[in-house]
Amino acid sequence: MPFLKEPEYTHGKTGKTAILLINLGTPDAPERGAVKRYLKQFLWDQRVVEIPRPVWWLILNGIILPFRSGQSAKKYATIWTKDGSPLKIHTEKQAMLLKGYLGERGHDVHVSWAMRYGSPSIPSALQKLKQEAYDRILILPAYPQYSATTTASNMDAVFSHYQQVRNVPELRFVRNYHDHPAYIEALRQSVLKHWQQNGRPEKLVMSFHGLPKAFLLRGDPYHCECYKTARLLAEKLGLTKDQYLVTFQSRLGKAEWLQPYTEPSVQQLAKNGVKRIDVICPGFIADCLETLEEIAVEVKQAFLTAGGKEFHYIPCLNESPAWLRAMAEISEQHLAGWPTMFTAGMREEQKQQALISRAEAKRLGAPH
């Protein structure tokens, strides 16, 4: 059969709504084999690398995977926790908390999560929602700024899965929220909280994940959305143009990427006499290898070695209450028109069930 088997249909069941929070992905373990599998899936995505497939197959399998897998595994090992990958832990907690926040707002909505690369996969998460009879699904990306390499790749995976499904649910996609007031406010509160505890820097560096410059020239709006996020955050913080700097990190290969690059930029700041900088990564909603190792370790060392005296990394939004409220507000706007609200006839214990996830996330260590 060309389609997956449908679950048994029961007449009289009311429709149910779910949100699927999708993050980029992470290896299953900080080991060479696991990292190689993850990188192979990630870097083979034509949304991520647009080089012709035969040429790229040789480069990927002959050069990158044999050498980069072991190096990346060592870096992952430095940030790994007893509960696993920080990215996976934060994504799971965010999903649990979002369900609770939406429940408090009166929404009977299930929230699950998946990874574009790695596990749990998008197909497995969607198939589970199918088995549990959810027929309205909102796809919420963990990427505030739209890019074909991330948000559109999520869409590819969702549509590819439903090519195998006979009874496709109603779907909605959050495209971006780079300028959403609640997201900007969550960033503002994160920075101010850090400054209240540690004082202010001479320069705030806003580091976003990089992309090849060619993607910008071909029409990807990511670069512009990053700069808009930075401008809005700077305005909310009352910063002048010379008090903050936008940079791009995580360059791969020798081609030109979006500039200025983060590490050379902070080195130049140090050489110019700047003694303290704070770095925030607004494009990541959860701490991961690119923030905890690349920024908080490698970029910090580059700044200090170049003559800087004090470096502070401001953590990602993770499970901050302001960010969870923002996630709920963003979701609520995209759920508009769907029958998600608890009805007057529902028993109180049914509504309380939606709040269990928030209590469980708090028990696991998320902030109140």
Side-chain angles (χ1 to χ4, degrees):
M1 292 178 63
F3 302 110
L4 298 170
K5 183 179 178 180
E6 290 286 327
E8 185 175 348
Y9 181 75
T10 303
H11 288 279
K13 280 191 173 181
T14 58
K16 298 194 298 182
T17 302
I19 296 173
L20 182 61
L21 173 64
I22 302 178
N23 214 322
L24 187 75
T26 179
D28 292 324
E31 300 167 356
R32 188 178 186 279
V35 173
K36 184 177 181 180
R37 289 191 297 273
Y38 166 70
L39 289 177
K40 187 171 185 178
Q41 183 186 12
F42 172 40
L43 296 176
W44 188 247
D45 187 345
Q46 199 159 1
R47 289 283 193 180
V48 176
V49 180
E50 297 183 8
I51 296 173
R53 296 296 90 180
V55 175
W56 180 239
W57 189 94
L58 292 173
I59 296 173
L60 178 62
N61 291 279
I63 301 175
I64 294 179
L65 292 179
F67 295 98
R68 193 176 180 91
S69 299
Q71 296 172 356
S72 294
K74 292 178 182 177
K75 292 182 179 180
Y76 273 107
T78 65
I79 67 164
W80 216 258
T81 75
K82 62 181 180 62
D83 296 317
S85 161
L87 178 70
K88 197 168 187 176
I89 294 168
H90 287 305
T91 304
E92 182 176 16
K93 287 182 178 180
Q94 286 173 345
M96 294 172 65
L97 283 162
L98 178 57
K99 177 180 171 65
Y101 272 73
L102 287 170
E104 289 183 342
R105 289 170 177 247
H107 294 280
D108 182 20
V109 175
H110 174 69
V111 183
S112 58
W113 58 282
M115 296 295 180
R116 176 61 183 91
Y117 316 102
S119 61
S121 68
I122 292 175
S124 68
L126 292 174
Q127 192 60 14
K128 185 177 180 182
L129 291 175
K130 160 71 73 172
Q131 296 297 325
E132 295 171 351
Y134 289 96
D135 58 5
R136 295 181 296 268
I137 301 174
L138 173 64
I139 305 297
L140 176 61
Y143 328 119
Q145 297 77 25
Y146 172 92
S147 172
T149 61
T150 51
T151 316
S153 183
N154 281 357
M155 296 175 179
D156 289 345
V158 171
F159 292 137
S160 177
H161 170 73
Y162 282 121
Q163 287 180 333
Q164 308 171 67
V165 174
R166 188 181 303 276
N167 187 8
V168 177
E170 185 175 358
L171 294 169
R172 291 182 183 176
F173 293 83
V174 177
R175 186 179 186 274
N176 55 12
Y177 43 90
H178 65 291
D179 57 355
H180 194 285
Y183 159 66
I184 299 298
E185 174 60 19
L187 290 173
R188 186 188 75 89
Q189 290 190 27
S190 177
V191 174
L192 290 181
K193 179 181 178 181
H194 182 84
W195 287 353
Q196 287 167 0
Q197 296 172 346
N198 302 281
R200 294 171 66 102
E202 296 171 65
K203 184 86 72 171
L204 176 65
V205 177
M206 303 184 198
S207 180
F208 294 85
H209 198 286
L211 285 181
K213 184 179 179 180
F215 289 14
L216 166 64
L217 300 179
R218 293 168 187 164
D220 195 302
Y222 174 77
H223 177 265
C224 298
E225 294 191 2
C226 289
Y227 268 94
K228 186 170 185 181
T229 296
R231 176 176 60 80
L232 293 173
L233 176 57
E235 289 175 356
K236 285 289 185 180
L237 291 169
L239 300 180
T240 61
K241 289 184 178 180
D242 63 344
Q243 291 178 314
Y244 74 97
L245 176 67
V246 178
T247 64
F248 296 90
Q249 63 185 87
S250 309
R251 180 185 176 195
L252 174 65
K254 296 182 179 180
E256 182 180 359
W257 280 42
L258 298 179
Q259 295 198 40
Y261 302 136
T262 299
E263 185 169 313
S265 295
V266 303
Q267 289 174 319
Q268 190 60 51
L269 288 175
K271 292 175 183 177
N272 291 344
V274 175
K275 299 304 180 184
R276 172 181 165 175
I277 62 171
D278 287 3
V279 181
I280 187 172
C281 299
F284 299 90
I285 66 168
D287 274 310
C288 56
L289 184 72
E290 285 79 3
T291 63
L292 298 174
E293 200 281 332
E294 182 179 358
I295 295 297
V297 177
E298 293 182 9
V299 172
K300 176 181 179 178
Q301 185 60 40
F303 177 71
L304 297 178
T305 301
K309 299 301 181 183
E310 195 173 348
F311 180 103
H312 291 252
Y313 166 63
I314 301 175
C316 290
L317 295 173
N318 296 326
E319 297 84 49
S320 70
W323 170 233
L324 269 297
R325 288 192 294 271
M327 290 183 77
E329 186 174 326
I330 293 165
S331 300
E332 194 171 44
Q333 291 174 0
H334 288 270
L335 292 169
W338 279 354
T340 64
M341 301 300 289
F342 289 105
T343 63
M346 280 187 171
R347 294 178 300 173
E348 182 61 25
E349 56 263 32
Q350 287 178 293
K351 185 173 180 179
Q352 291 302 317
Q353 187 63 32
L355 306 182
I356 292 177
S357 56
R358 184 172 179 184
E360 177 64 13
K362 289 179 180 178
R363 185 185 69 80
L364 293 174
H368 292 248

